[in-house]
Amino acid sequence: MVEENNKIKFFVVEDHTLTNRGIRELIGQRSRFTCVGYAFSKSECLEKLKELEEESKLPDIIILDLFLGEESGLDILRQVKEKLPSIKIIVYSMYAKPGIVSLALEGGAEGFVLKSAPESELFAAIETVIAGQTYVQQTLVSPLFTYRTIFDGLTRQEQVVFKKLIERKTRPQIAKEMNIVERSLENYLSRIYMKTGCKNHEELIKKFGE
């Protein structure tokens, strides 16, 4: 039996009730792990982590879904990494097109696993990340390299626009955040579509961001 103080503490962020519980039960049934909390939204996650920090009970690892209803798990990822960098984060998502994987890793995630993968894949990711290394499910690696080759072919401003598109930002949101007029944005979009071989916004998302 593993002593409580030596157990790996984990926290789950997932907006679907049954999936959230299922992940907790799956990991928690192994004696090396103990669940210190869970959340269904960004605000709940940050609030509970603050409480755990005050109690000196922060998790060693967070299992994070990327799409929480209208909220983005990427925002949680970035904020947790900024405020509590000691916590390791594994993204556990239905969506794993290379643009999404790249954004997650860029945001500080140590691991990325598809929900459709075998349970052993998630545990392999947890063990690897706890050991201080990065883990990306093998089937996602080759598309990620291809994506980054395409991404590197964009100008810096086009890269900024491209990443915001992958995050499901709307045209008005992107223009406002970049402080540019929508006409300029349309020019960037045209060049991005040409360089990526996509006809429109929807095709780009389907190819790189779902």
Side-chain angles (χ1 to χ4, degrees):
M1 181 68 71
V2 181
E3 290 186 15
E4 198 65 32
N5 290 341
N6 295 328
K7 288 188 176 185
I8 296 169
K9 299 186 293 294
F10 71 95
F11 188 100
V12 176
V13 185
E14 160 69 56
D15 67 326
H16 290 94
T17 305
L18 289 177
T19 306
N20 191 310
R21 189 168 80 179
I23 295 169
R24 282 183 276 132
E25 291 179 351
L26 172 67
I27 302 173
Q29 68 187 2
R30 298 201 176 189
S31 61
R32 291 186 61 223
F33 301 95
T34 184
C35 182
V36 294
Y38 59 93
F40 299 100
S41 67
K42 175 183 171 182
S43 59
E44 185 182 13
C45 172
L46 297 176
E47 184 178 330
K48 286 187 174 180
L49 288 177
K50 185 177 180 181
E51 292 171 359
L52 289 168
E53 183 180 23
E54 291 169 355
E55 298 169 4
S56 299
K57 294 180 180 178
L58 279 175
D60 300 298
I61 193 163
I62 291 176
I63 308 299
L64 173 68
D65 188 13
L66 273 190
F67 294 101
L68 309 166
E70 296 299 312
E71 296 183 325
S72 171
L74 288 168
D75 291 334
I76 295 176
L77 170 62
R78 291 163 184 152
Q79 288 192 39
V80 171
K81 280 299 175 182
E82 181 182 346
K83 298 175 182 177
L84 303 165
S86 65
I87 299 176
K88 310 289 188 183
I89 298 179
I90 292 177
V91 172
Y92 193 45
S93 176
M94 287 175 57
Y95 303 97
K97 288 293 176 68
I100 291 291
V101 178
S102 182
L103 280 176
L105 296 176
E106 187 180 308
E110 283 83 9
F112 202 113
V113 177
L114 267 169
K115 285 182 179 176
S116 59
E119 295 172 4
S120 58
E121 190 89 45
L122 178 59
F123 283 106
I126 293 172
E127 296 292 351
T128 301
V129 167
I130 288 297
Q133 300 174 325
T134 299
Y135 187 99
V136 177
Q137 187 174 324
Q138 191 59 42
T139 56
L140 306 177
V141 173
S142 181
L144 184 59
F145 277 118
T146 302
Y147 164 82
R148 285 181 170 166
T149 300
I150 294 171
F151 185 80
D152 289 342
L154 304 176
T155 66
R156 183 165 297 180
Q157 284 290 81
E158 289 166 1
Q159 289 176 349
V160 173
V161 173
F162 190 44
K163 287 194 285 188
K164 290 182 184 296
L165 287 172
I166 297 298
E167 286 193 58
R168 315 290 178 88
K169 299 280 180 73
T170 64
R171 283 178 171 81
Q173 283 177 317
I174 296 171
K176 184 178 180 180
E177 289 178 11
M178 295 182 67
N179 195 28
I180 58 176
V181 297
E182 289 202 37
R183 175 74 186 192
S184 296
L185 177 58
E186 290 300 327
N187 290 335
Y188 286 129
L189 290 173
S190 295
R191 293 199 292 271
I192 290 169
Y193 297 150
M194 180 182 67
K195 292 179 180 180
T196 58
C198 297
K199 296 176 183 177
N200 51 42
H201 187 170
E202 291 71 25
E203 189 174 323
L204 185 140
I205 293 295
K206 186 173 182 180
K207 186 173 182 178
F208 298 107
E210 286 187 346

